[in-house]
């Protein structure tokens, strides 16, 4: 079982819609979780971090963490074509190592 | 504040040759990571340092890969000898601590021919 799992997509949403990206993790000892955005040919860019259960909002982005169910999600409101990228979920587990999922490709269509 | 610096940006080598990558983390960041990212996949952790010590290197192919972090600052990752399957982007990242946000450098794209 992979430590961090994501649906590879692609996930297609129309411009202006809400994009919902999901991630599950296997290590119950995981303490911190992150969402990164990666454009083709570029390195990952941090967009959200979340450490406790519940929601965390930053502009058009909302991260949600549910430790009991071991999932993390990212909502992108009012999706724009510039949001088209691969979104990587990452978590720091009990071994203190930062592990990434395979990423979900998001396409925002005009 | 300066970001994570990596060099070189691109490298092409023949199989069985050796190559080294360099990383300078953000000032004050104690944790440094090296990832390998193959096209279409997520970053794979090769080695994670906390200051001078190794937190995890379970996925580092130790028969050909080596890494060091001198004085708890700069780090180098070496491959000797390289194989065709080592063609990938090598990403360095750093963070204040093991649970803190990690920031990436621009990466080194390695092509082994």
């Amino acid at each position: 079982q992979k430590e961090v799992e994501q649906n590879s997509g692609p996930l297609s949403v129309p411009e202006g819609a809400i994009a919902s990206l999901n991630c599950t993790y296997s290590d119950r000892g995981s303490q911190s979780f992150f969402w990164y955005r990666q454009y083709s040919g570029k390195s990952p860019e941090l967009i959200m971090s979340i450490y406790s259960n519940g929601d965390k909002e930053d502009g058009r982005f909302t991260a949600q963490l549910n430790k009991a169910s071991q999932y993390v999600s990212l909502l992108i409101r009012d999706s724009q074509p510039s949001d088209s990228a691969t979104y990587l979920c990452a978590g720091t587990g009990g071994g203190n190592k930062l592990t990434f999922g395979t990423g979900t490709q998001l396409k925002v269509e005009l | 504040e300066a970001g994570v610096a990596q060099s070189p940006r691109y490298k092409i080598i023949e199989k069985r040759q050796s190559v080294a990558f360099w990383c300078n983390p953000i000032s004050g960041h104690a944790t440094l990571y090296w990832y390998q990212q193959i096209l279409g996949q997520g970053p794979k952790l090769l080695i994670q340092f906390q200051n001078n010590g190794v937190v995890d290197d379970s996925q580092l192919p130790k028969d050909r890969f080596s890494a060091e972090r001198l004085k708890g600052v700069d780090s180098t990752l070496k491959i000797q000898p390289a194989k065709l399957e080592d063609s990938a982007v090598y990403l360095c990242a750093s963070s204040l601590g093991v649970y803190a946000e990690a920031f990436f450098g621009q990466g080194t794209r390695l092509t082994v021919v």
Side-chain angles (χ1 to χ4, degrees):
Chain A
Q1 182 184 14
K2 293 183 179 178
E3 294 180 56
V4 178
E5 295 203 52
Q6 298 180 254
N7 187 322
S8 61
L11 172 66
S12 293
V13 300
E15 184 178 6
I18 295 175
S20 178
L21 303 159
N22 299 309
C23 168
T24 58
Y25 60 94
S26 60
D27 187 345
R28 285 195 171 273
S30 297
Q31 297 288 326
S32 52
F33 302 89
F34 309 96
W35 284 99
Y36 288 80
R37 177 175 61 198
Q38 187 173 30
Y39 293 114
S40 181
K42 302 294 185 181
S43 60
E45 173 193 12
L46 179 70
I47 53 174
M48 290 288 287
S49 60
I50 189 164
Y51 297 87
S52 54
N53 278 330
D55 296 359
K56 179 182 178 182
E57 186 175 320
D58 184 1
R60 295 187 296 113
F61 299 98
T62 298
Q64 299 173 317
L65 173 59
N66 184 321
K67 289 189 176 181
S69 300
Q70 295 177 244
Y71 82 78
V72 192
S73 62
L74 179 70
L75 300 178
I76 306 174
R77 290 182 299 280
D78 188 24
S79 295
Q80 302 297 309
S82 59
D83 294 326
S84 297
T86 295
Y87 289 79
L88 296 163
C89 174
T92 303
N96 293 337
K97 60 181 182 179
L98 181 61
T99 304
F100 282 78
T102 54
T104 298
Q105 186 182 5
L106 174 66
K107 294 183 177 180
V108 181
E109 299 169 332
L110 295 171
Chain B
E1 180 181 272
V4 177
Q6 286 189 249
S7 67
R9 289 293 310 279
Y10 306 92
K11 191 74 176 179
I12 300 174
I13 62 172
E14 295 183 350
K15 59 183 179 183
R16 292 187 290 274
Q17 286 188 323
S18 62
V19 64
F21 312 126
W22 173 82
C23 175
N24 179 245
I26 294 172
S27 178
H29 280 196
T31 310
L32 186 147
Y33 315 78
W34 282 103
Y35 290 90
Q36 178 193 61
Q37 188 173 29
I38 293 172
L39 189 64
Q41 299 182 17
K44 171 187 168 184
L45 181 66
L46 293 176
I47 189 166
Q48 179 176 328
F49 292 98
Q50 178 70 14
N51 295 311
N52 290 341
V54 175
V55 172
D56 188 274
D57 63 356
S58 58
Q59 298 192 92
L60 186 73
K62 297 179 184 63
D63 58 334
R64 298 185 301 108
F65 286 63
S66 64
E68 60 180 4
R69 189 179 186 195
L70 298 176
K71 300 181 181 178
V73 182
D74 291 7
S75 179
T76 56
L77 176 69
K78 297 179 181 177
I79 307 175
Q80 181 179 11
K83 293 185 175 181
L84 296 176
E85 59 259 37
D86 298 332
S87 294
V89 175
Y90 290 84
L91 296 163
C92 179
S94 71
S95 64
L96 284 171
V98 295
Y99 296 115
E101 301 166 335
F103 299 92
F104 282 84
Q106 292 182 298
T108 297
R109 183 176 298 276
L110 174 67
T111 302
V112 182
V113 298

